[in-house]
């Protein structure tokens, strides 16, 4: 303790600089989150803000999203009112002029105009920036109807114009959906769109109500033809809103046309549009095509049944359609505002996507078997289809495009909305015409009933296809998200070994860099070690020396005995000039793998002119396998090398000792070599000690962990000892007075040993370790080959044990957020308090790291790594993508809380989501700052040393009292600057107590720590 005491003054002088340096290293991670509570607490007019937050949360929105959302809602509502006025007016005019049997011709013709428009929009994106393209496209919705309105007066031209209007109305459906989905995907991330798009898409539901109630009144006041003129003006006004939105949020739109801004990205996207990504795109197209096919089928049956069962005037049909639309709109609006967004967020995209096709199948079946009259059944089908289509389907549709890379997302949307859907409508119309013609000839007097039954069967069949496409799409969704995060990895279990080896040989025969060939060799060693010699032996002559050595070392590790052809090939290789390192490995391969080697040939390599690496290898081989006379000769060669004046001779002599197994008289040189002035000699000697299992020198290996120069060599040596080193490593790893880096290396060494005993040690300590120790153990377990660490944890702890560790981390986060709120900058100002808050932010990031490591034990490692990389990148889109990956991967009971704390939310919101984890006080109850600090010190076993020191410095500055038990416990902390912080606190708060303690501290040689072996976080079972 005296040495630390003498250094106190110097440490206090440097403490500010050290803390600033430590916190600057984490600036990138905590830049966004470090000011959360300051922003919330200092926000003006907090009561108004609270009211606004309440009604936004009622709508499942966040304040930063509200402006964009309501502008999109206004645009979509007004444009939808105009479209619905046009739809009802034109539908009534069309039925009165042509009848329902002419609708298939409209569907067919609309395919042509919709497809042409799709190509037009694709071209427009290439010559104009995106925000200009969507505004111009929006203007095209209403302008043609102004011209059509002028031609409605002449009788013969009016009929022709009605057909054209109905045709352009089909194009408007395409334009409206395309603009809305593309604009929303630009304005919102994949997570935001789940919350915002239900409200945006409810614009068409509000439009249903408005148009349904207003159209009969407007028709009576101005006439049906003038309603069309008013609808055109409304569409033009909505285009003005869209123009304002694209200007106000221009940062979300690219400035250059697609051809210039993303040419390179599209080339890259084209290369990646294979495998899972290509399958996903085709499945998305299939889903949207089937949705349109069902829309046409149900729309045709609905209008046909109205025509057949309601023998009334055109105006009355328009009134019925408007009333139906109004009633439907009320149900849709209630569903979308209060139900849709929340069930999408809680149940997931694909659970919700299954509901519409299932409902259509059930209703079609019931109507087909006579459960409902045909007219009632068709009206119910239309009602349910539109209710779900414009609520849950509209909410999840843009989300399906979000996993696609940004370079191809807009193009895929324009293809689906502008080309695939119109073609589907047109082909369905042609198919309807053929079926009507056939059924009229087969049905005779019962044609109407027969057609109704057949079309119900078609409806159920296509709904089942829709359901199947959704289920297939679900299996590809997370894969594409991971691919978009650039973290796709090879799944070794899916490889065909024969095909893989054949492809590997082809790659190794190509003219590629040695680095890539080395990676192929390592991959082969990992996947199929038994065939290493078979694959690599024929390639040895054409390899470079570095690859020859890599190949021979891989062949030496092969578990299967070498074939005679392999031995012959290596022997032939040694006859040619080789670098010393390659020749040494070749000799080891020949004389260690041959059953009866000719050791007399090794004497040729004992000459002083031979390179010391080859000479030492030959001597070690003879010392291992020779007779007593040969061993004596080899010992003399190694003795001369170990005592040679040149460093290289001594280094190679020490390395040869590791292969010798029996040192005999060479033991006499170990002490001197361990003190050799050459670092390379000392490191080589450490590895030789492990190779020959010299137990009396094991403490030297442990001391080597304390020095940076010998740390790696000591760890390799200890790993080579395997289970023999485990008790030594555990003693170092659990010694709280050892430096953190030494303990970390000890845990890593236990992990690299990887035996069953080592695995038992790591798993048993995982339950009681905390902080950096837990993170190191988790990383060591995850690095074990063949996922043996993951399987070991699952076998010993089970899923419930891992979930308990995750809940423990979340509970710790709850305590952190409570501390950050109660110790905010307004209540506790000053630099010391700022340092404490920053250390708590660092603890938050460390907890996130441990959470991601724990999740890798339950789910696919590459998927969790992709999510972690996306969230850590900390941009708007990458964060949303990472959270979406987790949302579709996790099935933890605490999933909602976990996603909330990883998202960009304020500390009060995060703490609210963790309220169930707080013991005895859900929801959170604020404490006085001094009381919160005492509670924080009570959690000292879970805090970092720096955070604990900051707590005592803050208590000293504010003159807050801490309990005697807390003070005495931290006074015996293993870390020097924690003890110094406690002494500084006592000197300010209670000088008399410090005077009484100083005699005991003067001769204290770091007593054992008072921290318990099994830390217990309040609120969790021991």
């Amino acid at each position: 303790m005296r040495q630390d005491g003498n250094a106190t003054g110097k440490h206090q002088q440097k403490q500010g600089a050290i803390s600033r340096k430590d916190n600057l290293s984490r600036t990138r991670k905590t830049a966004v989150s470090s000011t959360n509570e300051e922003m919330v607490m200092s926000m003006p007019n907090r009561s108004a803000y609270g009211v606004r937050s309440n009604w936004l949360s009622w709508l499942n929105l966040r304040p930063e999203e509200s402006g964009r959302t309501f502008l999109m809602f206004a645009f979509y509502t007004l444009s939808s009112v105009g479209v619905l006025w046009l739809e009802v007016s034109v539908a009534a005019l069309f039925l009165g002029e042509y009848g329902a049997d002419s609708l298939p011709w409209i569907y067919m013709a609309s395919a042509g105009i919709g497809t042409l428009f799709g190509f037009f929009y694709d071209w427009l994106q290439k010559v104009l920036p995106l925000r200009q393209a969507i505004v111009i496209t929006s203007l095209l919705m209403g302008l043609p109807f102004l011209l059509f309105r002028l031609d409605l007066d002449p009788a013969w031209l009016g009929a022709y114009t009605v057909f054209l209007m109905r045709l352009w109305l089909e194009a408007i459906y395409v334009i409206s959906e395309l603009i809305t989905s593309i604009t929303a995907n630009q304005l919102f991330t994949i997570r935001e769109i789940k919350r915002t798009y239900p409200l945006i898409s409810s614009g068409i539901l509000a439009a249903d109500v408005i148009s349904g109630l207003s159209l009969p009144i407007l028709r009576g006041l101005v006439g049906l033809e003038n309603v069309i003129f008013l609808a055109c003006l409304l569409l033009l006004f909505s285009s003005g809103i869209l123009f304002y939105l694209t200007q106000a949020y221009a940062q979300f739109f690219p400035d250059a046309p697609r051809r210039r801004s993303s040419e390179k990205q599209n080339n890259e996207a084209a290369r990646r549009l294979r495998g899972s990504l290509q399958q996903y795109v085709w499945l998305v197209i299939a889903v949207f095509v089937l949705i349109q096919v069902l829309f046409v089928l149900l729309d045709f049956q609905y209008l046909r049944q109205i025509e057949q069962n309601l023998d009334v005037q055109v105006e009355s049909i328009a009134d019925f359609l408007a009333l139906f639309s109004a009633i439907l709109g009320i149900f849709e609006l209630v569903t979308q505002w209060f139900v849709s967004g929340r069930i999408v967020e809680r149940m997931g995209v694909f659970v919700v996507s299954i509901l519409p096709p299932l409902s259509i199948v059930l209703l079609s079946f019931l109507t087909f078997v006579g459960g409902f009259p045909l007219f009632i059944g068709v009206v119910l089908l239309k009602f349910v289809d539109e209710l779900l289509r414009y609520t849950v389907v509209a909410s999840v549709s843009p989300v399906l495009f979000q996993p696609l890379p940004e370079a191809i997302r807009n193009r895929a949307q324009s293809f689906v909305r502008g080309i695939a859907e119109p073609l589907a409508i047109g082909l369905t119309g042609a198919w309807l015409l053929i079926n009507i013609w056939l059924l009229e000839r087969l049905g005779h007097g019962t044609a109407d009933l027969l057609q109704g039954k057949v079309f119900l069967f078609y409806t159920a069949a296509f709904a089942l296809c829709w359901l199947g496409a959704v289920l297939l799409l679900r299996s590809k969704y997370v894969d594409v998200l991971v691919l978009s995060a650039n973290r796709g990895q090879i799944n070794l279990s899916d490889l065909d070994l024969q095909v893989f080896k054949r492809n590997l040989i082809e790659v190794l025969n190509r003219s590629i860099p040695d680095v890539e060939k080395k990676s192929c060799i390592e991959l082969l060693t990992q996947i199929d070690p038994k065939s290493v010699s078979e694959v690599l032996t024929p390639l040895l002559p054409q390899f470079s020396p570095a690859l020859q050595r890599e190949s021979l070392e891989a062949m030496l590790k092969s578990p299967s005995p070498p074939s005679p052809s392999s031995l012959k090939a290596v022997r032939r290789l040694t006859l040619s000039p080789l670098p010393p390192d390659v020749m040494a490995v070749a000799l080891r391969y020949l004389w260690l793998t041959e059953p009866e080697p000719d050791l007399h040939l090794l004497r040729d390599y004992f000459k002083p002119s031979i390179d010391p690496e080859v000479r030492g290898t030959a001597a070690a081989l003879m010392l291992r396998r020779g007779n007593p006379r040969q061993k004596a000769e080899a010992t003399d060669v190694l003795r001369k090398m170990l005592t040679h004046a040149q460093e290289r001779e001594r280094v190679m002599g020490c390395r040869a000792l590791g292969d010798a197994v029996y040192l005999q008289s060479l033991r006499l040189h170990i002490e001197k070599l361990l003190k050799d002035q050459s670092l390379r000699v000392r490191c080589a000697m450490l590895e030789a000690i492990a190779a020959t299992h010299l137990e009396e020198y094991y403490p030297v290996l442990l001391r080597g962990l304390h020095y940076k120069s010998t740390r790696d060599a000591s760890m390799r040596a200890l790993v080579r000892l395997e289970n023999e080193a485990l008790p030594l490593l555990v003693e170092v790893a659990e010694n709280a007075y050892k430096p953190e880096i030494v303990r970390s290396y000890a845990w890593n060494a236990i992990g690299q040993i990887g035996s069953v005993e080592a695995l038992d040690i790591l798993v048993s300590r995982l339950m009681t370790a905390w902080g950096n120790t837990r993170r190191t153990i988790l990383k060591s377990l995850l690095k074990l080959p063949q996922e043996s660490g993951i399987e070991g944890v699952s076998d010993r702890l089970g899923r419930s044990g891992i979930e308990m560790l995750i809940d423990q981390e979340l509970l710790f986060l709850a305590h952190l957020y409570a501390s950050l709120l109660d110790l905010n900058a307004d209540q506790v100002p000053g630099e010391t308090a700022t340092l404490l808050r920053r250390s708590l932010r660092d603890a938050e990031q460390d907890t996130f790291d441990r959470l991601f490591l724990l999740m890798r034990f339950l789910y696919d490692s590459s998927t969790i790594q992709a999510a972690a990389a996306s969230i850590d990148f900390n941009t708007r889109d990458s964060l949303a993508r990472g959270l979406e990956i987790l949302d579709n991967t996790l099935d933890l009971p605490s999933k909602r809380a976990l996603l909330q704390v990883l998202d960009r939310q304020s500390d009060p919101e995060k703490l609210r989501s963790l309220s169930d984890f707080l013991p005895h006080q859900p929801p959170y109850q604020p404490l006085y700052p001094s009381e919160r600090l005492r509670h924080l010190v009570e959690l000292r076993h879970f805090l970092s040393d720096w955070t604990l020191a900051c707590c005592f410095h803050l208590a000293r500055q504010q003159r807050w009292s801490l309990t005697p038990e807390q003070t005495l416990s931290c006074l015996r902390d293993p870390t020097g600057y924690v003890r110094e912080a406690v002494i500084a606190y006592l000197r300010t708060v209670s000088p008399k107590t410090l005077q009484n303690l100083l005699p005991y501290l003067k001769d204290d040689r770091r007593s054992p720590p008072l921290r318990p072996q099994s830390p217990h976080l309040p609120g969790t079972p021991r």
Side-chain angles (χ1 to χ4, degrees):
M1 191 72 186
R2 185 177 298 169
Q3 292 177 350
D4 288 332
N6 294 335
T8 301
K10 185 182 293 185
H11 173 77
Q12 289 176 342
Q13 293 174 4
K14 295 183 178 180
Q15 185 172 345
I18 293 172
S19 64
R20 286 190 293 271
K21 180 180 179 181
D22 178 68
N23 284 282
L24 282 173
S25 65
R26 295 177 181 256
T27 300
R28 181 183 299 178
K29 283 187 175 181
T30 59
V32 175
S33 58
S34 62
T35 57
N36 275 348
E37 89 271 9
E38 284 85 357
M39 292 172 62
V40 173
M41 300 303 295
S42 62
M43 189 172 294
N45 195 8
R46 291 188 61 201
S47 60
Y49 173 78
V51 173
R52 179 168 177 260
S53 297
N54 287 335
W55 68 264
L56 285 178
S57 63
W58 185 62
L59 292 173
N60 200 29
L61 288 178
R62 295 180 182 174
E64 65 272 14
E65 306 161 352
S66 58
R68 291 168 282 161
T69 304
F70 288 123
L71 279 173
M72 280 295 297
F73 174 78
F75 159 73
Y76 197 40
T77 301
L78 292 178
S79 62
S80 297
V81 169
V83 170
L84 288 170
W85 281 353
L86 290 173
E87 179 183 0
V88 174
S89 302
V90 174
L93 290 172
F94 187 87
L95 289 176
E97 191 70 34
Y98 295 102
D101 287 340
S102 300
L103 283 173
W105 293 102
I106 288 291
Y107 299 143
M108 291 173 59
S110 67
I113 193 171
T115 304
L116 287 174
F117 175 78
F119 286 114
F120 167 76
Y121 180 78
D122 190 62
W123 170 80
L124 201 62
Q125 278 187 302
K126 294 178 181 179
V127 297
L128 292 175
L130 181 61
R131 60 175 178 269
Q132 295 180 18
I134 59 178
V135 171
I136 291 174
T137 308
S138 176
L139 288 171
L140 290 177
M141 287 196 298
L143 288 176
F145 277 98
L146 291 176
L147 302 177
F148 293 149
R149 171 64 186 86
L150 299 176
D151 293 333
L152 280 177
D153 293 334
W156 65 272
L157 193 58
Y160 179 71
T161 304
V162 167
F163 185 86
L164 290 178
M165 291 172 64
R166 186 64 179 84
L167 189 60
W168 185 248
L169 187 63
E170 295 293 327
I172 283 185
Y173 297 146
V174 176
I175 296 172
S176 178
E177 292 298 323
L178 182 63
I179 291 174
T180 306
S181 60
I182 287 181
T183 308
N185 272 324
Q186 288 295 131
L187 290 171
F188 304 102
T189 66
I190 192 170
R191 298 293 296 175
E192 292 172 341
I193 208 166
K194 285 186 175 182
R195 293 186 295 270
T196 60
Y197 204 76
L199 181 60
I200 294 170
S201 61
S202 68
I204 195 171
L205 312 181
D208 274 336
V209 178
I210 296 172
S211 64
L213 296 176
S214 62
L215 185 62
I217 301 173
L218 288 175
R219 184 189 61 77
L221 292 176
V222 299
L224 203 57
E225 291 81 2
N226 290 322
V227 170
I228 296 174
F229 179 74
L230 294 176
C232 296
L233 295 180
L234 206 56
L235 289 174
L236 294 177
F237 184 73
S238 67
S239 299
I241 295 176
L242 185 63
F243 173 76
Y244 171 77
L245 190 148
T246 57
Q247 296 300 314
Y249 297 95
Q251 68 271 22
F252 295 110
F253 297 89
D255 292 328
R258 193 182 67 199
R259 177 181 293 170
R260 295 198 299 269
S261 66
S262 59
E263 182 177 356
K264 293 182 179 179
Q265 294 178 358
N266 285 336
N267 291 337
E268 175 66 18
R271 288 195 296 270
R272 294 177 61 200
L273 192 56
R274 299 182 181 93
S276 296
L277 187 58
Q278 191 175 32
Q279 294 174 19
Y280 183 85
V281 171
W282 283 113
L283 286 171
V284 169
I285 293 173
V287 167
F288 282 96
V289 164
L290 288 167
I291 290 174
Q292 292 304 314
V293 169
L294 279 169
F295 169 76
V296 172
L297 276 174
L298 291 173
D299 187 60
F300 172 75
Q301 294 177 74
Y302 172 66
L303 294 177
R304 186 183 179 88
Q305 289 298 318
I306 288 176
E307 182 188 27
Q308 292 174 356
N309 291 274
L310 299 177
D311 188 15
V312 291
Q313 298 298 318
V314 170
E315 289 79 4
S316 300
I317 293 178
D319 292 344
F320 174 82
L321 293 174
L323 184 61
F324 178 84
S325 177
I327 296 172
L328 177 63
I330 293 172
F331 280 91
E332 289 172 335
L333 205 57
V334 172
T335 303
Q336 192 74 331
W337 281 2
F338 300 104
V339 180
S340 185
R342 288 173 172 81
I343 66 170
V344 169
E345 194 169 7
R346 285 166 175 75
M347 298 175 61
V349 172
F350 292 99
V351 174
V352 173
S353 298
I354 292 172
L355 297 178
L358 271 180
S359 304
I360 292 174
V361 169
L362 291 174
L363 275 175
S364 299
F365 176 77
L366 289 175
T367 307
F368 186 84
V369 298
F372 300 108
L374 186 58
F375 174 72
I376 300 298
V378 170
V379 171
L380 284 176
L381 273 170
K382 181 68 173 177
F383 185 90
V384 171
D385 174 68
E386 292 216 8
L387 174 64
L388 298 178
R389 178 186 299 271
Y390 294 110
T391 54
V392 294
V393 175
S395 299
V396 302
S397 293
V399 180
L400 299 180
F401 292 99
Q402 283 283 350
L404 298 175
E406 189 174 356
I408 64 172
R409 185 190 305 155
N410 287 340
R411 189 171 184 177
Q413 283 182 275
S414 60
F415 176 81
V416 169
R417 299 292 194 183
I419 299 175
E421 289 185 348
L423 280 176
I425 293 173
L427 293 175
T428 307
W431 180 72
L432 283 174
L433 281 177
I434 296 172
N435 277 271
I436 291 171
W437 182 80
L438 291 174
L439 291 171
E440 284 179 349
R441 278 148 184 79
L442 295 175
H444 302 293
T446 60
D448 293 337
L449 181 60
L450 178 61
Q451 288 182 21
K453 294 287 186 178
V454 170
F455 286 135
L456 282 174
F457 175 77
Y458 290 156
T459 302
F462 281 110
L464 286 173
C465 293
W466 179 7
L467 180 61
V470 170
L471 294 176
L472 290 174
L473 196 65
R474 182 180 186 180
S475 66
K476 298 292 180 185
Y477 184 71
V478 175
D479 292 341
V480 174
L481 278 171
V482 173
L483 182 60
S484 299
N486 296 318
R487 296 288 296 187
Q489 296 184 0
I490 296 175
N491 187 357
L492 301 180
S493 61
D494 295 336
L495 287 177
D496 185 331
L497 288 181
Q498 296 301 322
V499 176
F500 171 75
K501 284 192 290 185
R502 186 166 59 250
N503 294 335
L504 191 63
I505 294 172
E506 293 178 2
V507 172
L508 291 172
N509 278 298
R510 295 175 189 165
S511 297
I512 59 175
D514 283 357
V515 176
E516 297 183 18
K517 290 185 178 181
K518 182 180 177 182
S519 300
C520 292
I521 294 172
E522 292 174 352
L523 190 59
L524 176 65
T525 306
Q526 179 184 359
I527 294 174
D528 191 14
K530 294 183 179 180
S531 65
V532 169
S533 299
E534 173 193 347
V535 173
L536 297 180
T537 301
L539 302 173
L540 285 175
Q542 67 188 57
F543 279 167
S544 65
L547 285 178
Q548 287 175 340
R549 176 172 180 173
E550 186 77 24
S551 301
L552 289 168
E553 288 179 345
M555 292 162 61
L556 264 173
K557 297 174 184 177
S558 177
S560 58
S563 63
S565 60
S566 297
L567 292 172
K568 185 177 180 181
V570 176
R571 193 177 294 111
R572 188 166 53 249
L573 186 68
T574 58
L575 299 178
S576 59
L578 292 176
D581 57 340
V582 180
M583 178 64 76
V585 181
L587 291 178
R588 288 172 57 210
Y589 181 80
L590 289 173
W591 269 271
L592 289 178
T593 56
E594 280 191 355
E596 295 180 2
D598 187 0
L599 294 175
H600 293 287
L601 298 176
L602 288 175
R603 285 198 178 95
D604 296 337
Y605 300 101
F606 286 176
K607 301 173 184 178
S609 59
I610 300 297
D611 187 88
E613 186 169 0
V614 179
R615 192 185 336 131
T617 300
L621 290 170
M622 185 170 285
L623 195 62
R624 173 183 285 200
R625 304 195 65 174
N627 56 40
R629 182 168 169 272
Q630 291 171 330
K631 288 181 179 180
E633 187 177 355
T635 300
D636 186 60
V637 172
L638 289 178
R639 180 183 56 78
K640 292 178 181 178
M641 294 180 66
L642 294 174
T643 57
H644 203 280
Q646 292 185 5
E647 180 196 39
R648 179 171 167 79
E649 291 277 349
R650 299 196 305 276
V651 170
M652 295 306 165
C654 291
R655 290 181 181 177
L657 291 181
D659 292 329
V661 181
Y662 304 106
L663 297 184
Q664 300 176 1
S665 61
L666 296 175
R667 290 172 179 263
L668 300 174
H669 303 282
I670 294 178
E671 290 286 349
K672 183 179 179 181
L673 292 169
L674 286 173
K675 299 176 182 178
D676 196 282
Q677 62 181 357
S678 170
L679 175 62
R680 295 177 63 204
V681 173
R682 297 198 302 271
C683 290
M685 196 63 243
L686 292 175
E687 296 188 21
I689 289 172
T692 53
H693 296 270
L694 298 176
E695 296 183 10
E696 62 269 29
Y697 291 103
Y698 286 174
V700 177
L701 301 181
L702 296 177
R703 284 199 300 272
L705 293 175
H706 291 72
Y707 305 100
K708 183 179 180 180
S709 57
T710 57
R711 192 168 287 143
D712 292 332
S714 293
M715 190 172 77
R716 287 194 301 269
L718 289 164
V719 171
R720 191 167 182 176
L721 290 175
E722 297 182 344
N723 288 347
E724 197 175 352
L726 288 178
L728 306 172
L729 290 169
V730 171
E731 183 180 357
V732 173
E734 294 187 334
N735 190 341
Y737 290 105
K738 295 291 183 182
E740 184 67 36
I741 191 170
V742 174
R743 299 173 62 196
S744 176
Y745 266 78
W747 287 119
N748 285 328
I750 295 173
Q752 290 186 30
I753 290 172
S755 62
V756 176
E757 293 78 6
L759 190 57
D760 288 335
I761 291 171
L762 291 175
V763 176
S764 63
R765 270 60 174 187
L766 183 62
M767 299 297 293
T768 57
W770 191 258
N772 290 332
T773 301
R774 174 176 284 185
R775 181 171 57 184
T776 302
I777 293 175
L778 289 171
K779 288 183 176 179
S780 299
L781 288 167
L782 289 168
K783 288 178 182 177
L784 292 178
Q786 307 298 326
E787 296 188 345
S788 58
I790 296 176
E791 294 177 359
V793 172
S794 299
D795 293 341
R796 291 162 177 80
L797 299 183
R799 183 181 178 90
S800 59
I802 301 172
E803 288 180 355
M804 186 185 74
L805 294 178
I806 292 175
D807 290 346
Q808 191 182 52
E809 299 285 355
L810 292 174
L811 171 59
F812 180 64
L813 280 175
H815 287 291
L816 286 183
Y817 294 132
S819 301
L820 286 166
L821 287 178
D822 291 338
L823 299 172
N824 64 78
D826 288 344
Q827 298 187 47
V828 190
E831 184 179 359
T832 306
T834 301
L835 289 176
L836 175 58
R837 286 190 290 270
R838 288 180 181 173
S839 69
L840 293 176
R841 290 295 179 193
D842 293 343
E844 177 192 26
Q845 294 298 326
D846 293 338
T847 306
F848 289 163
D849 293 342
R850 294 194 297 270
L851 282 169
F852 280 113
L853 291 172
L854 286 167
M855 283 187 279
R856 289 173 61 184
F857 287 89
L858 296 176
Y859 307 99
D860 180 67
S861 186
S862 62
T863 301
I864 300 300
Q865 284 178 297
S870 298
I871 292 172
D872 189 57
F873 196 62
N874 209 20
T875 65
R876 175 174 165 268
D877 290 330
S878 65
L879 175 66
R881 185 182 298 113
L883 293 173
E884 185 67 10
I885 292 173
L886 292 180
D887 194 8
N888 287 273
T889 302
L890 305 184
D891 55 359
L892 299 168
S894 56
K895 182 175 88 169
R896 285 294 123 205
L898 182 58
L899 294 178
Q900 292 287 337
V901 298
L902 290 173
D903 202 354
R904 283 180 177 171
Q905 296 193 48
S906 63
D907 290 338
E909 291 174 324
K910 291 181 179 180
L911 185 58
R912 194 178 304 116
S913 66
L914 294 171
S915 59
D916 292 339
F917 292 88
L918 288 172
H920 312 304
Q921 53 176 20
Y924 154 76
Q925 298 294 328
L927 302 176
Y928 289 110
S930 58
E931 187 177 353
R932 176 59 66 185
L933 187 71
R934 281 192 291 273
H935 182 71
L936 194 59
V937 177
E938 197 65 34
L939 302 174
R940 57 191 175 276
H941 311 302
F942 307 92
L943 302 177
S944 68
D945 295 327
W946 175 244
T947 303
L948 193 58
C950 288
C951 290
F952 277 92
H953 283 303
L954 182 61
R956 172 183 58 82
Q957 184 192 63
Q958 299 290 335
R959 294 183 177 273
W960 291 337
S961 62
L962 300 174
T963 65
E965 191 274 334
Q966 293 173 344
T967 305
L968 291 175
S969 177
C970 296
L971 195 59
R972 299 174 65 187
D973 193 275
T975 306
Y977 61 78
V978 174
R979 298 196 300 275
E980 292 172 10
V982 178
I983 292 173
Y985 163 77
L986 287 174
R987 184 173 58 190
T988 301
V989 177
S990 181
K992 184 176 181 180
T993 303
L994 180 61
Q995 290 295 327
N996 295 333
L997 289 174
L998 282 178
Y1000 299 99
L1001 298 176
K1002 185 177 180 181
D1003 299 321
D1004 186 4
R1005 301 297 297 174
R1006 292 192 174 187
S1007 303
L1010 295 184
R1011 296 190 180 193
Q1013 293 296 320
S1014 177
H1016 172 63
L1017 196 64
T1020 58
R1022 289 184 182 270

